[in-house]
Amino acid sequence: MRRYAFVIVILGMFAMVLLLNKNPAEINSFEELKNFEVNTRVKVEGRVLQKINLYDEVVLLKLNKNIELICECNESFVNKTVNAVGKVEEYKNKKQIMVLEISVLN
């Protein structure tokens, strides 16, 4: 009986790993971002037009696609093309992306 329970637990853990590692959805415009629910993992690529300091190390990055990224970063990404993975959040009825990882493409 213990062997069967052990096998079931191992299979369940394997299924959880597969579900948690799914690729984020790619977004190309703000209109696409509106269609996603809060806490959905997304990926966006674009040129940073403006950086606004919110508080401490938290900044708001505005992309050329009218998408806003909330990032806890020290670097200046202005006029650089970035690739960001994050989760969708909503603030004052407007969708934004809370950045989990960000990289500069050029």
Side-chain angles (χ1 to χ4, degrees):
M1 187 67 165
R2 289 183 185 175
R3 290 182 192 146
Y4 297 123
F6 180 72
V7 170
I8 291 171
V9 167
I10 296 299
L11 290 175
M13 290 173 59
F14 181 70
M16 284 179 43
V17 167
L18 288 177
L19 290 174
L20 291 176
N21 284 334
K22 72 177 189 179
N23 293 332
E26 292 202 25
I27 294 180
N28 294 317
S29 69
F30 183 72
E31 297 302 320
E32 289 181 21
L33 180 61
K34 286 182 182 179
N35 297 330
F36 287 97
E37 294 182 20
V38 174
N39 288 330
T40 304
R41 281 180 45 109
V42 293
K43 180 179 181 181
V44 66
E45 181 180 314
R47 187 168 198 79
V48 177
L49 300 176
Q50 186 179 13
K51 173 185 172 183
I52 301 171
N53 291 327
L54 298 178
Y55 54 90
D56 292 334
E57 294 180 1
V58 179
V59 296
L60 175 81
L61 303 174
K62 291 192 177 188
L63 297 182
N64 60 341
K65 300 178 180 182
N66 200 20
I67 296 175
E68 295 179 349
L69 304 176
I70 306 296
C71 179
E72 292 184 26
C73 50
N74 293 328
E75 290 185 53
S76 176
F77 294 107
V78 178
N79 295 325
K80 295 181 182 175
T81 303
V82 297
N83 187 6
V85 175
K87 62 180 183 172
V88 177
E89 291 190 348
E90 191 168 358
Y91 179 71
K92 293 187 178 180
N93 294 325
K94 186 172 182 184
K95 300 274 177 117
Q96 300 173 329
I97 299 175
M98 176 61 85
V99 175
L100 300 174
E101 58 185 75
I102 190 168
S103 61
V104 177
L105 296 179
N106 64 356

